[in-house]
């Protein structure tokens, strides 16, 4: 077969495959009338089980509203920091709404929605124990394994002159394990996104406080399958519609408003397309 014909056939096959995959997950969601959304289980107040054992939180409400706007039922799937990307790649969930920072590195593995939440990394310690990260640079600090927080704290300690930051970091699988280590005095501080720290600190009012400056900005995106533009467009449109009609802020103020234990002023507006 002539080379030109072979190339033409290969290009045609590639275009057909691309077209077929452009909305494969979206098509399945609409056909099944159900979207599988991965959310966390102990990220207070993002998504957690309350004292009554009921699954709740900001991400719980946002994902519920997302499914409603797309016009399908929601199937909630438990994820954690290690599974929230793997489950998307394996096709076990369609969307991850799991306080995940949108980074260029993660973008090589999955796609992301527009930023739907703005957070930043801080350090939590027992009240009055430390004034800054520099005060605890020779102590142990808890963080969560496989997160941007883990990378950021190591870089921050290195910038403070700590020769081997790994020796000062204890990485846990779950937020609750980090908080327990801080309560028991196994670590001097726990570092992750500020809203999560506020959520756990609220369990014991007055016992803990945020220390020092923000270590980073953490723009959260919803994790999505690679190259499924139809699903990505549907998610982005739903988020923007939530913002425009006030639903987003109603949910935000329910969890982070000034009257809540997790008060955190809104610092940005989500991206809006004309």
């Amino acid at each position: 077969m002539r080379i030109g014909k072979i190339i033409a056939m290969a290009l045609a096959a590639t275009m057909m495959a691309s077209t077929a995959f452009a909305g494969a997950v979206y098509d399945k969601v609409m056909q099944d009338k159900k979207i599988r959304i991965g959310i966390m289980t102990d990220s207070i107040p993002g998504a957690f089980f309350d004292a009554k054992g009921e699954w709740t939180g900001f991400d719980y409400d946002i994902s519920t509203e997302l499914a409603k706007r797309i016009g399908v039922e929601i199937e909630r799937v438990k994820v954690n920091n290690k599974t929230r990307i793997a489950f998307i790649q394996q096709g076990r969930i369609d969307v991850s709404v799991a306080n995940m920072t949108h980074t260029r590195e993660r973008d090589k593995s999955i796609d992301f929605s527009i930023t739907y939440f703005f957070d930043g990394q801080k350090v939590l310690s027992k009240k009055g124990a430390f004034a800054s990260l520099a005060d605890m640079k020779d102590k142990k600090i808890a963080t969560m394994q496989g997160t941007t927080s883990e990378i950021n704290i190591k870089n921050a300690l290195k910038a403070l002159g700590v020769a081997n930051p790994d020796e000062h970091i204890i990485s846990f699988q779950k937020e609750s394990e980090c908080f327990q280590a801080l309560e028991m005095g196994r670590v001097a501080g726990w570092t992750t996104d500020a809203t999560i720290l506020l959520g756990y600190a609220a369990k014991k009012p007055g016992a803990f406080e945020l220390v020092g400056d923000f270590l980073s900005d953490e723009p959260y995106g919803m994790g999505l399958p690679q190259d499924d533009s139809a699903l990505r467009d549907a998610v982005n449109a739903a988020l923007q519609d939530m913002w425009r009609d006030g639903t987003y802020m109603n949910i935000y103020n329910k969890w982070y408003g000034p009257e809540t234990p997790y008060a955190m002023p809104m610092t940005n507006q989500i991206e809006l397309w004309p």
Side-chain angles (χ1 to χ4, degrees), residues 98-126:
N99 54 32
M100 184 159 56
T101 303
H102 185 178
T103 68
R104 293 189 180 188
E105 189 62 30
R106 287 174 175 159
D107 208 85
K108 296 175 183 175
S109 304
I110 59 172
D111 274 349
F112 282 86
S113 71
I114 58 174
T115 298
Y116 78 97
F117 192 81
F118 305 91
D119 209 335
Q121 185 176 343
K122 296 269 276 185
V123 180
L124 185 74
S125 69
K126 290 185 177 178

Side-chain angles (χ1 to χ4, degrees), residues 35 40 44 51 81 95 112 156 158 200 204 216 236 239 269:
I35 188 167
M40 307 288 268
I44 305 170
N81 292 322
V95 183
F112 282 86
K158 193 175 293 184
Y200 274 87
K204 294 194 172 181
S216 67
N236 286 337
L239 285 170
Q269 172 180 299

Side-chain angles (χ1 to χ4, degrees), residues 157-173:
L157 290 176
K158 193 175 293 184
L160 289 171
V162 177
N164 190 353
D166 288 345
E167 293 181 351
H168 298 274
I169 302 299
I170 302 179
S171 298
F172 294 90
Q173 291 290 331

Side-chain angles (χ1 to χ4, degrees), residues 121 123 133 136-147 149-158 162 164-172 178 186-191 215:
Q121 185 176 343
V123 180
L133 178 62
M136 62 177 79
K137 67 178 183 179
D138 296 323
K139 310 289 185 182
K140 299 287 187 184
I141 299 174
T143 190
M144 285 172 292
Q145 193 177 43
T147 64
S149 297
E150 187 179 39
I151 297 170
N152 293 335
I153 185 60
K154 290 178 181 177
N155 289 336
L157 290 176
K158 193 175 293 184
V162 177
N164 190 353
D166 288 345
E167 293 181 351
H168 298 274
I169 302 299
I170 302 179
S171 298
F172 294 90
C178 294
R186 289 183 58 200
V187 297
W190 168 26
T191 183
L215 302 183

Side-chain angles (χ1 to χ4, degrees), residues 21-23 33 38 41 67 97 121-122 141 144 151 224 228 242 257:
F21 192 63
K33 296 296 180 186
T41 59
V97 184
Q121 185 176 343
K122 296 269 276 185
I141 299 174
M144 285 172 292
I151 297 170
L224 298 161
D228 199 308
M242 282 184 221

